[in-house]
Amino acid sequence: MCTTRFLLPVFLLLVIIEGNAQGCSDAGFCTMGAMKPDQPFNKKLKVRLRSMEISFYRGTTTATPIVYVANADMSFSLNSKNSFQIKLPYQTVQSGTFDQTGGLGDISLCLTRSLFTSERFDINLSIGTKIPSNDSNLKAKGRFEGKPLPMYYQTSLGTYDAISGISVLTKNWLFATGIQIPLNQNNNQFLWEEWNDYPDQSYLEKYSQARELRRGIDVMLRAERNFRFSQFNFSAGLLPIYRITNDEITDANGTRVKPEGARGLALSGIVTAGYNLNVRNSIRLLVGHKIVQRDRNPDGLTRVMVTTFSYNYRF
C-alpha cells in the first residue's frame, strides 16, 4: 500500500507531462495566501510562518511566445493568526515573432488569517490585491516599431485587482475557493487593424484583440490530494477557474464590445513534486496543463504547458 501511494503521484505527473491537453494559467490569485497549492500541514513540527520562495516559471503559449518569470515570494507572520505575503515577479517574453519584452510584473499583496485550527484541519481566509507595474501597452521595436503588442507580450495585466479566498486544509487534502475582481480597464491598444501590413494575417488573428481591455471576474476552486513522506511530498489536483462576466474591449470603431467566448470555464490539472532538504529548506517542481479552455482569451493568459521550479527557505 505504501509503494502504491508513492508511485501514484509520480504516475500522474508522467501522464500529464505527456498528455495533449493545454496548460494552466490564471491572473495570479491561485498562488496567493489560502489559495496556494501544496500547502504544508504538520502538527508535529513547529510551524514557521516566515518564508522566502524563489521560483522560475516557464509557460508555452498557443502561439509562438514563451513566457519566463523569476518570482520572489515572501511571507511574514504578523502574529499567531495573521501573515502577510508579497510577490515580486520579473517577466520576459521570448521566441515571439512580433518582439521580445521584459520587465517587472504585477505586484501581489495578501493578508491571510487563520480562522480555525485543530489536529484534523485548518481553515484560512485571505484578502489581497494586485498592483500593475505598467499600463499594459508595451509597443514593438525594430521592424514593427511603435505597433501595440498583444497581451501575450505584456509584462503587466495593467489593472488593480481585488482578491479574496478561503481554504480548508487537512493532512491529505486541500480545498480552496477564491475570487478576483479587476477594478479598471487597462490601456492595451492591440487591434488587428493596427497590424494590417503583417505578412501572415491568419497567424496574427491567433492573438485576441485587447484594446482597452477590462477583464471579467474570475472565480476559482482548488481540489488537491497530497501525499507526504519524511522528505518527499507529492500532490495532484484540479483547478477550475470560471470567468463569470465577459471581457470587454474597444473595437476599431470605438465601441465597447464583449468578445464572444471570453467567459466560461478554464480547467487545469496540476501536479507537484517536492523534496525537503531539511527543516528550513525545500525544493519543488510544479507542472500544469489545461484540460478545458475558453474560446477567446484577450488577456493573453492561455498556456499550453506550465512548469515552475522553486526553492523555499523557512525561518
Side-chain angles (χ1 to χ4, degrees):
M1 181 63 70
C2 181
T3 302
T4 301
R5 290 180 178 176
F6 180 84
L7 292 177
L8 177 58
V10 178
F11 173 74
L12 289 173
L13 175 62
L14 295 175
V15 168
I16 292 178
I17 290 176
E18 295 299 325
N20 293 317
Q22 291 180 312
C24 95
S25 59
D26 67 82
F29 68 145
C30 293
T31 56
M32 292 177 65
M35 297 160 285
K36 293 178 67 173
D38 190 30
Q39 298 180 39
F41 183 87
N42 191 333
K43 300 298 181 177
K44 296 180 180 180
L45 296 177
K46 182 181 179 180
V47 176
R48 297 180 182 275
L49 293 176
R50 293 175 295 173
S51 68
M52 173 177 286
E53 181 176 278
I54 304 298
S55 63
F56 300 93
Y57 163 106
R58 182 183 187 272
T60 55
T61 66
T62 53
T64 54
I66 300 176
V67 180
Y68 296 92
V69 182
N71 190 66
D73 184 341
M74 295 164 283
S75 295
F76 307 93
S77 60
L78 303 178
N79 51 47
S80 61
K81 287 186 174 293
N82 300 288
S83 62
F84 180 75
Q85 177 193 24
I86 179 170
K87 293 197 300 178
L88 302 172
Y90 183 88
Q91 178 170 316
T92 64
V93 182
Q94 301 180 18
S95 302
T97 58
F98 294 161
D99 201 357
Q100 296 186 8
T101 57
L104 180 67
D106 294 340
I107 299 170
S108 300
L109 305 173
C110 184
L111 178 66
T112 299
R113 179 172 177 82
S114 173
L115 299 181
F116 177 83
T117 183
S118 71
E119 292 296 319
R120 296 179 58 194
F121 65 93
D122 294 342
I123 301 176
N124 298 309
L125 173 70
S126 292
I127 57 172
T129 186
K130 291 195 70 179
I131 301 172
S133 59
N134 59 65
D135 64 358
S136 198
N137 192 32
L138 299 178
K139 292 182 169 61
K141 300 177 182 178
R143 178 184 176 186
F144 302 109
E145 179 77 34
K147 291 187 181 295
L149 289 167
M151 287 297 296
Y152 277 110
Y153 289 83
Q154 302 298 328
T155 59
S156 170
L157 290 173
T159 60
Y160 291 89
D161 294 357
I163 295 165
S164 181
I166 192 168
S167 68
V168 177
L169 176 66
T170 72
K171 179 181 178 181
N172 296 323
W173 291 95
L174 167 65
F175 297 99
T177 186
I179 186 169
Q180 180 162 352
I181 305 173
L183 302 178
N184 62 292
Q185 67 187 39
N186 68 23
N187 194 40
N188 187 269
Q189 297 296 311
F190 177 72
L191 291 173
W192 296 333
E193 289 82 357
E194 298 286 339
W195 292 75
N196 55 16
D197 57 343
Y198 189 74
D200 187 348
Q201 289 294 306
S202 62
Y203 173 80
L204 174 70
E205 293 180 9
K206 290 183 178 181
Y207 297 88
S208 296
Q209 301 184 99
R211 183 181 178 187
E212 297 173 350
L213 170 66
R214 187 183 185 100
R215 300 190 335 274
I217 298 171
D218 286 330
V219 174
M220 62 142 291
L221 174 68
R222 183 186 297 281
E224 177 183 284
R225 176 64 162 91
N226 291 287
F227 304 82
R228 301 194 182 279
F229 306 93
S230 58
Q231 286 186 289
F232 291 95
N233 62 82
F234 303 90
S235 70
L238 294 175
L239 177 64
I241 303 173
Y242 198 94
R243 184 150 293 178
I244 60 177
T245 59
N246 211 94
D247 294 351
E248 293 184 5
I249 66 168
T250 302
D251 66 14
N253 298 318
T255 304
R256 293 295 289 176
V257 298
K258 297 180 178 181
E260 185 177 350
R263 61 172 293 181
L265 177 68
L267 174 64
S268 302
I270 311 289
V271 293
T272 69
Y275 179 73
N276 296 314
L277 302 171
N278 51 47
V279 175
R280 294 178 180 268
N281 300 274
S282 63
I283 55 176
R284 181 180 65 195
L285 174 68
L286 179 149
V287 179
H289 271 274
K290 196 77 77 186
I291 300 168
V292 177
Q293 181 56 276
R294 291 183 287 270
D295 293 334
R296 289 188 179 275
N297 292 274
D299 54 23
L301 292 172
T302 308
R303 303 289 181 262
V304 174
M305 180 178 181
V306 164
T307 55
T308 302
F309 180 80
S310 59
Y311 163 75
N312 186 279
Y313 175 71
R314 294 174 291 273
F315 55 97

mmCIF file with all atom_site columns, all heavy atoms in Angstrom, residues 286-301:
data_model
loop_
_atom_site.group_PDB
_atom_site.id
_atom_site.type_symbol
_atom_site.label_atom_id
_atom_site.label_alt_id
_atom_site.label_comp_id
_atom_site.label_asym_id
_atom_site.label_entity_id
_atom_site.label_seq_id
_atom_site.pdbx_PDB_ins_code
_atom_site.Cartn_x
_atom_site.Cartn_y
_atom_site.Cartn_z
_atom_site.occupancy
_atom_site.B_iso_or_equiv
_atom_site.pdbx_formal_charge
_atom_site.auth_seq_id
_atom_site.auth_comp_id
_atom_site.auth_asym_id
_atom_site.auth_atom_id
_atom_site.pdbx_PDB_model_num
ATOM 1   N N   . LEU A 1 286 ? 6.487   22.097 -10.080 1.00 0.00 ? 286 LEU A N   1
ATOM 2   C CA  . LEU A 1 286 ? 5.058   22.124 -10.393 1.00 0.00 ? 286 LEU A CA  1
ATOM 3   C C   . LEU A 1 286 ? 4.879   22.042 -11.895 1.00 0.00 ? 286 LEU A C   1
ATOM 4   O O   . LEU A 1 286 ? 5.577   22.730 -12.648 1.00 0.00 ? 286 LEU A O   1
ATOM 5   C CB  . LEU A 1 286 ? 4.411   23.390 -9.847  1.00 0.00 ? 286 LEU A CB  1
ATOM 6   C CG  . LEU A 1 286 ? 2.913   23.597 -10.102 1.00 0.00 ? 286 LEU A CG  1
ATOM 7   C CD1 . LEU A 1 286 ? 2.283   24.383 -8.942  1.00 0.00 ? 286 LEU A CD1 1
ATOM 8   C CD2 . LEU A 1 286 ? 2.638   24.339 -11.417 1.00 0.00 ? 286 LEU A CD2 1
ATOM 9   N N   . VAL A 1 287 ? 3.946   21.205 -12.337 1.00 0.00 ? 287 VAL A N   1
ATOM 10  C CA  . VAL A 1 287 ? 3.622   21.071 -13.761 1.00 0.00 ? 287 VAL A CA  1
ATOM 11  C C   . VAL A 1 287 ? 2.117   21.188 -13.917 1.00 0.00 ? 287 VAL A C   1
ATOM 12  O O   . VAL A 1 287 ? 1.356   20.596 -13.145 1.00 0.00 ? 287 VAL A O   1
ATOM 13  C CB  . VAL A 1 287 ? 4.107   19.718 -14.327 1.00 0.00 ? 287 VAL A CB  1
ATOM 14  C CG1 . VAL A 1 287 ? 3.738   19.596 -15.802 1.00 0.00 ? 287 VAL A CG1 1
ATOM 15  C CG2 . VAL A 1 287 ? 5.612   19.570 -14.145 1.00 0.00 ? 287 VAL A CG2 1
ATOM 16  N N   . GLY A 1 288 ? 1.686   21.945 -14.905 1.00 0.00 ? 288 GLY A N   1
ATOM 17  C CA  . GLY A 1 288 ? 0.250   22.099 -15.135 1.00 0.00 ? 288 GLY A CA  1
ATOM 18  C C   . GLY A 1 288 ? -0.109  22.065 -16.601 1.00 0.00 ? 288 GLY A C   1
ATOM 19  O O   . GLY A 1 288 ? 0.673   22.501 -17.463 1.00 0.00 ? 288 GLY A O   1
ATOM 20  N N   . HIS A 1 289 ? -1.281  21.535 -16.897 1.00 0.00 ? 289 HIS A N   1
ATOM 21  C CA  . HIS A 1 289 ? -1.844  21.520 -18.252 1.00 0.00 ? 289 HIS A CA  1
ATOM 22  C C   . HIS A 1 289 ? -3.304  21.905 -18.208 1.00 0.00 ? 289 HIS A C   1
ATOM 23  O O   . HIS A 1 289 ? -4.026  21.532 -17.278 1.00 0.00 ? 289 HIS A O   1
ATOM 24  C CB  . HIS A 1 289 ? -1.723  20.133 -18.883 1.00 0.00 ? 289 HIS A CB  1
ATOM 25  C CG  . HIS A 1 289 ? -0.448  19.908 -19.618 1.00 0.00 ? 289 HIS A CG  1
ATOM 26  N ND1 . HIS A 1 289 ? -0.279  20.259 -20.932 1.00 0.00 ? 289 HIS A ND1 1
ATOM 27  C CD2 . HIS A 1 289 ? 0.726   19.373 -19.211 1.00 0.00 ? 289 HIS A CD2 1
ATOM 28  C CE1 . HIS A 1 289 ? 0.951   19.933 -21.306 1.00 0.00 ? 289 HIS A CE1 1
ATOM 29  N NE2 . HIS A 1 289 ? 1.580   19.397 -20.278 1.00 0.00 ? 289 HIS A NE2 1
ATOM 30  N N   . LYS A 1 290 ? -3.738  22.651 -19.235 1.00 0.00 ? 290 LYS A N   1
ATOM 31  C CA  . LYS A 1 290 ? -5.143  22.985 -19.334 1.00 0.00 ? 290 LYS A CA  1
ATOM 32  C C   . LYS A 1 290 ? -5.913  21.818 -19.928 1.00 0.00 ? 290 LYS A C   1
ATOM 33  O O   . LYS A 1 290 ? -5.489  21.208 -20.909 1.00 0.00 ? 290 LYS A O   1
ATOM 34  C CB  . LYS A 1 290 ? -5.329  24.230 -20.200 1.00 0.00 ? 290 LYS A CB  1
ATOM 35  C CG  . LYS A 1 290 ? -6.689  24.870 -20.065 1.00 0.00 ? 290 LYS A CG  1
ATOM 36  C CD  . LYS A 1 290 ? -6.804  25.660 -18.774 1.00 0.00 ? 290 LYS A CD  1
ATOM 37  C CE  . LYS A 1 290 ? -6.076  26.973 -18.888 1.00 0.00 ? 290 LYS A CE  1
ATOM 38  N NZ  . LYS A 1 290 ? -6.028  27.722 -17.653 1.00 0.00 ? 290 LYS A NZ  1
ATOM 39  N N   . ILE A 1 291 ? -7.047  21.497 -19.328 1.00 0.00 ? 291 ILE A N   1
ATOM 40  C CA  . ILE A 1 291 ? -7.923  20.442 -19.825 1.00 0.00 ? 291 ILE A CA  1
ATOM 41  C C   . ILE A 1 291 ? -9.079  21.048 -20.622 1.00 0.00 ? 291 ILE A C   1
ATOM 42  O O   . ILE A 1 291 ? -9.463  20.543 -21.674 1.00 0.00 ? 291 ILE A O   1
ATOM 43  C CB  . ILE A 1 291 ? -8.457  19.605 -18.650 1.00 0.00 ? 291 ILE A CB  1
ATOM 44  C CG1 . ILE A 1 291 ? -7.286  18.967 -17.889 1.00 0.00 ? 291 ILE A CG1 1
ATOM 45  C CG2 . ILE A 1 291 ? -9.427  18.526 -19.130 1.00 0.00 ? 291 ILE A CG2 1
ATOM 46  C CD1 . ILE A 1 291 ? -7.683  18.353 -16.559 1.00 0.00 ? 291 ILE A CD1 1
ATOM 47  N N   . VAL A 1 292 ? -9.626  22.150 -20.110 1.00 0.00 ? 292 VAL A N   1
ATOM 48  C CA  . VAL A 1 292 ? -10.695 22.883 -20.792 1.00 0.00 ? 292 VAL A CA  1
ATOM 49  C C   . VAL A 1 292 ? -10.279 24.349 -20.860 1.00 0.00 ? 292 VAL A C   1
ATOM 50  O O   . VAL A 1 292 ? -9.777  24.900 -19.878 1.00 0.00 ? 292 VAL A O   1
ATOM 51  C CB  . VAL A 1 292 ? -12.037 22.758 -20.034 1.00 0.00 ? 292 VAL A CB  1
ATOM 52  C CG1 . VAL A 1 292 ? -13.126 23.592 -20.715 1.00 0.00 ? 292 VAL A CG1 1
ATOM 53  C CG2 . VAL A 1 292 ? -12.461 21.296 -19.941 1.00 0.00 ? 292 VAL A CG2 1
ATOM 54  N N   . GLN A 1 293 ? -10.494 24.987 -22.016 1.00 0.00 ? 293 GLN A N   1
ATOM 55  C CA  . GLN A 1 293 ? -10.098 26.376 -22.187 1.00 0.00 ? 293 GLN A CA  1
ATOM 56  C C   . GLN A 1 293 ? -11.233 27.184 -22.791 1.00 0.00 ? 293 GLN A C   1
ATOM 57  O O   . GLN A 1 293 ? -12.048 26.652 -23.552 1.00 0.00 ? 293 GLN A O   1
ATOM 58  C CB  . GLN A 1 293 ? -8.864  26.474 -23.094 1.00 0.00 ? 293 GLN A CB  1
ATOM 59  C CG  . GLN A 1 293 ? -8.329  27.876 -23.329 1.00 0.00 ? 293 GLN A CG  1
ATOM 60  C CD  . GLN A 1 293 ? -8.005  28.607 -22.040 1.00 0.00 ? 293 GLN A CD  1
ATOM 61  O OE1 . GLN A 1 293 ? -8.891  29.201 -21.419 1.00 0.00 ? 293 GLN A OE1 1
ATOM 62  N NE2 . GLN A 1 293 ? -6.756  28.565 -21.615 1.00 0.00 ? 293 GLN A NE2 1
ATOM 63  N N   . ARG A 1 294 ? -11.299 28.462 -22.431 1.00 0.00 ? 294 ARG A N   1
ATOM 64  C CA  . ARG A 1 294 ? -12.250 29.362 -23.075 1.00 0.00 ? 294 ARG A CA  1
ATOM 65  C C   . ARG A 1 294 ? -11.861 29.564 -24.540 1.00 0.00 ? 294 ARG A C   1
ATOM 66  O O   . ARG A 1 294 ? -10.686 29.477 -24.902 1.00 0.00 ? 294 ARG A O   1
ATOM 67  C CB  . ARG A 1 294 ? -12.277 30.711 -22.346 1.00 0.00 ? 294 ARG A CB  1
ATOM 68  C CG  . ARG A 1 294 ? -12.880 30.634 -20.954 1.00 0.00 ? 294 ARG A CG  1
ATOM 69  C CD  . ARG A 1 294 ? -12.949 32.006 -20.304 1.00 0.00 ? 294 ARG A CD  1
ATOM 70  N NE  . ARG A 1 294 ? -11.606 32.460 -19.908 1.00 0.00 ? 294 ARG A NE  1
ATOM 71  C CZ  . ARG A 1 294 ? -11.058 32.215 -18.725 1.00 0.00 ? 294 ARG A CZ  1
ATOM 72  N NH1 . ARG A 1 294 ? -11.717 31.495 -17.829 1.00 0.00 ? 294 ARG A NH1 1
ATOM 73  N NH2 . ARG A 1 294 ? -9.855  32.664 -18.444 1.00 0.00 ? 294 ARG A NH2 1
ATOM 74  N N   . ASP A 1 295 ? -12.842 29.877 -25.375 1.00 0.00 ? 295 ASP A N   1
ATOM 75  C CA  . ASP A 1 295 ? -12.589 30.033 -26.812 1.00 0.00 ? 295 ASP A CA  1
ATOM 76  C C   . ASP A 1 295 ? -11.706 31.224 -27.115 1.00 0.00 ? 295 ASP A C   1
ATOM 77  O O   . ASP A 1 295 ? -10.873 31.178 -28.021 1.00 0.00 ? 295 ASP A O   1
ATOM 78  C CB  . ASP A 1 295 ? -13.919 30.164 -27.574 1.00 0.00 ? 295 ASP A CB  1
ATOM 79  C CG  . ASP A 1 295 ? -14.750 28.889 -27.530 1.00 0.00 ? 295 ASP A CG  1
ATOM 80  O OD1 . ASP A 1 295 ? -14.149 27.804 -27.373 1.00 0.00 ? 295 ASP A OD1 1
ATOM 81  O OD2 . ASP A 1 295 ? -15.982 28.981 -27.656 1.00 0.00 ? 295 ASP A OD2 1
ATOM 82  N N   . ARG A 1 296 ? -11.893 32.312 -26.371 1.00 0.00 ? 296 ARG A N   1
ATOM 83  C CA  . ARG A 1 296 ? -11.085 33.510 -26.585 1.00 0.00 ? 296 ARG A CA  1
ATOM 84  C C   . ARG A 1 296 ? -10.472 33.964 -25.279 1.00 0.00 ? 296 ARG A C   1
ATOM 85  O O   . ARG A 1 296 ? -11.094 33.872 -24.216 1.00 0.00 ? 296 ARG A O   1
ATOM 86  C CB  . ARG A 1 296 ? -11.936 34.651 -27.178 1.00 0.00 ? 296 ARG A CB  1
ATOM 87  C CG  . ARG A 1 296 ? -12.348 34.410 -28.621 1.00 0.00 ? 296 ARG A CG  1
ATOM 88  C CD  . ARG A 1 296 ? -13.002 35.649 -29.212 1.00 0.00 ? 296 ARG A CD  1
ATOM 89  N NE  . ARG A 1 296 ? -13.383 35.430 -30.591 1.00 0.00 ? 296 ARG A NE  1
ATOM 90  C CZ  . ARG A 1 296 ? -12.573 35.590 -31.630 1.00 0.00 ? 296 ARG A CZ  1
ATOM 91  N NH1 . ARG A 1 296 ? -11.316 35.986 -31.426 1.00 0.00 ? 296 ARG A NH1 1
ATOM 92  N NH2 . ARG A 1 296 ? -13.001 35.384 -32.856 1.00 0.00 ? 296 ARG A NH2 1
ATOM 93  N N   . ASN A 1 297 ? -9.240  34.488 -25.373 1.00 0.00 ? 297 ASN A N   1
ATOM 94  C CA  . ASN A 1 297 ? -8.513  34.939 -24.191 1.00 0.00 ? 297 ASN A CA  1
ATOM 95  C C   . ASN A 1 297 ? -7.814  36.263 -24.481 1.00 0.00 ? 297 ASN A C   1
ATOM 96  O O   . ASN A 1 297 ? -6.597  36.307 -24.707 1.00 0.00 ? 297 ASN A O   1
ATOM 97  C CB  . ASN A 1 297 ? -7.493  33.887 -23.755 1.00 0.00 ? 297 ASN A CB  1
ATOM 98  C CG  . ASN A 1 297 ? -8.163  32.628 -23.239 1.00 0.00 ? 297 ASN A CG  1
ATOM 99  O OD1 . ASN A 1 297 ? -8.520  32.515 -22.085 1.00 0.00 ? 297 ASN A OD1 1
ATOM 100 N ND2 . ASN A 1 297 ? -8.346  31.667 -24.136 1.00 0.00 ? 297 ASN A ND2 1
ATOM 101 N N   . PRO A 1 298 ? -8.586  37.367 -24.505 1.00 0.00 ? 298 PRO A N   1
ATOM 102 C CA  . PRO A 1 298 ? -7.955  38.667 -24.755 1.00 0.00 ? 298 PRO A CA  1
ATOM 103 C C   . PRO A 1 298 ? -6.856  39.014 -23.772 1.00 0.00 ? 298 PRO A C   1
ATOM 104 O O   . PRO A 1 298 ? -5.952  39.797 -24.084 1.00 0.00 ? 298 PRO A O   1
ATOM 105 C CB  . PRO A 1 298 ? -9.141  39.641 -24.632 1.00 0.00 ? 298 PRO A CB  1
ATOM 106 C CG  . PRO A 1 298 ? -10.344 38.823 -24.938 1.00 0.00 ? 298 PRO A CG  1
ATOM 107 C CD  . PRO A 1 298 ? -10.041 37.466 -24.373 1.00 0.00 ? 298 PRO A CD  1
ATOM 108 N N   . ASP A 1 299 ? -6.896  38.433 -22.548 1.00 0.00 ? 299 ASP A N   1
ATOM 109 C CA  . ASP A 1 299 ? -5.885  38.764 -21.531 1.00 0.00 ? 299 ASP A CA  1
ATOM 110 C C   . ASP A 1 299 ? -4.536  38.109 -21.785 1.00 0.00 ? 299 ASP A C   1
ATOM 111 O O   . ASP A 1 299 ? -3.563  38.387 -21.098 1.00 0.00 ? 299 ASP A O   1
ATOM 112 C CB  . ASP A 1 299 ? -6.374  38.404 -20.132 1.00 0.00 ? 299 ASP A CB  1
ATOM 113 C CG  . ASP A 1 299 ? -6.821  36.947 -20.013 1.00 0.00 ? 299 ASP A CG  1
ATOM 114 O OD1 . ASP A 1 299 ? -6.384  36.105 -20.822 1.00 0.00 ? 299 ASP A OD1 1
ATOM 115 O OD2 . ASP A 1 299 ? -7.616  36.657 -19.098 1.00 0.00 ? 299 ASP A OD2 1
ATOM 116 N N   . GLY A 1 300 ? -4.433  37.189 -22.760 1.00 0.00 ? 300 GLY A N   1
ATOM 117 C CA  . GLY A 1 300 ? -3.152  36.578 -23.098 1.00 0.00 ? 300 GLY A CA  1
ATOM 118 C C   . GLY A 1 300 ? -2.620  35.618 -22.064 1.00 0.00 ? 300 GLY A C   1
ATOM 119 O O   . GLY A 1 300 ? -1.420  35.340 -22.016 1.00 0.00 ? 300 GLY A O   1
ATOM 120 N N   . LEU A 1 301 ? -3.491  35.049 -21.231 1.00 0.00 ? 301 LEU A N   1
ATOM 121 C CA  . LEU A 1 301 ? -3.041  34.170 -20.154 1.00 0.00 ? 301 LEU A CA  1
ATOM 122 C C   . LEU A 1 301 ? -3.048  32.693 -20.525 1.00 0.00 ? 301 LEU A C   1
ATOM 123 O O   . LEU A 1 301 ? -2.669  31.854 -19.711 1.00 0.00 ? 301 LEU A O   1
ATOM 124 C CB  . LEU A 1 301 ? -3.920  34.383 -18.907 1.00 0.00 ? 301 LEU A CB  1
ATOM 125 C CG  . LEU A 1 301 ? -3.755  35.739 -18.222 1.00 0.00 ? 301 LEU A CG  1
ATOM 126 C CD1 . LEU A 1 301 ? -4.797  35.907 -17.124 1.00 0.00 ? 301 LEU A CD1 1
ATOM 127 C CD2 . LEU A 1 301 ? -2.350  35.886 -17.654 1.00 0.00 ? 301 LEU A CD2 1
#
